[in-house]
Amino acid sequence: DVKVTQSSRYLVKRTGEKVFLECVQDMDHENMFWYRQDPGLGLRLIYFSYDVKMKEKGDIPEGYSVSREKKERFSLILESASTNQTSMYLCASRYEASRSQHFGDGTRLSIL
Amino acid sequence: GESVGLHLPTLSVQEGDNSIINCAYSNSASDYFIWYKQESGKGPQFIIDIRSNMDKRQGQRVTVLLNKTVKHLSLQIAATQPGDSAVYFCAENIRNAGGTSYGKLTFGQGTILTVHP
């Protein structure tokens, strides 16, 4: 079974802090994704990475950056956290020959 | 101004009934579609997918129908059980102009399914 692990289930940070969300997958998947999920808006893609050190912007990249130094790990960075970044953040990975993405259980981030 | 989230569509059924969850999509260049189930406190889980050149696909207790004429997708769950209670998302994969997509998905807003015993 594919396992996508997000380092924290809940996180509380202050406005202006630099925040790191970590995601690790154990199946050697090439592609990894970061989404945020807000009530009534579904999942929106922030950034994705199609291979190590490769990244592309998703639909809502403003205020975020990412890092993929190793194949199994994909980090989401909030450069200077703001209250409108309070949300549920979901990481996913995908084997390139497959259609489906596999999701972690999410990090609920609150910015005060 | 501040944006306001939409209320999710809801579907309430009795245990044993069949459920139909609908989804409209916008892009005729979608390559395939996926249905995900998300239970409370968990990430979305893959249920079933369908390629754009198909009209119907069946899995265990689930059937997905694709109507490309009206850009409509549906998920049918047979003999719905309380464990099927969750939020259901449809997602579409759209190839970019270069023909690649890297599996990027665009998700719908979701439908809440509640199954009463």
Side-chain angles (χ1 to χ4, degrees), chain B residues 15-73:
Chain B
E15 183 177 1
D17 286 353
N18 296 334
S19 302
I20 300 176
I21 301 170
N22 296 302
C23 179
Y25 66 93
S26 55
N27 197 314
S28 56
S30 298
D31 196 25
Y32 57 84
F33 303 84
I34 302 178
W35 280 100
Y36 282 93
K37 172 188 180 183
Q38 186 176 26
E39 296 174 280
S40 181
K42 295 189 177 179
Q45 269 184 294
F46 173 88
I47 302 172
I48 191 168
D49 63 5
I50 186 168
R51 292 193 65 98
S52 59
N53 61 356
M54 300 171 68
D55 299 322
K56 180 179 179 179
R57 189 162 188 223
Q58 286 185 287
Q60 191 175 10
R61 276 203 309 122
V62 294
T63 301
V64 57
L65 298 177
L66 176 61
N67 185 331
K68 292 181 282 294
T69 304
V70 295
K71 296 195 183 115
H72 183 267
L73 189 69

Side-chain angles (χ1 to χ4, degrees), chain A residues 20-83:
Chain A
F20 293 84
L21 302 184
E22 306 287 346
C23 174
V24 176
Q25 49 95 1
D26 65 356
M27 284 301 292
D28 206 35
H29 284 175
E30 294 89 354
N31 308 149
M32 295 188 75
F33 307 82
W34 274 107
Y35 295 88
R36 64 178 282 175
Q37 182 176 21
D38 300 290
L41 297 178
L43 281 71
R44 292 179 292 165
L45 182 64
I46 304 170
Y47 264 97
F48 70 101
S49 167
Y50 50 90
D51 207 341
V52 178
K53 296 191 189 293
M54 309 303 282
K55 60 186 179 185
E56 278 200 21
K57 292 179 181 179
D59 299 318
I60 52 164
E62 295 79 20
Y64 303 94
S65 63
V66 289
S67 171
R68 191 152 179 221
E69 295 297 315
K70 293 185 177 181
K71 195 172 188 180
E72 67 270 20
R73 185 179 296 271
F74 192 34
S75 303
L76 179 69
I77 303 153
L78 285 66
E79 297 291 343
S80 176
S82 63
T83 54

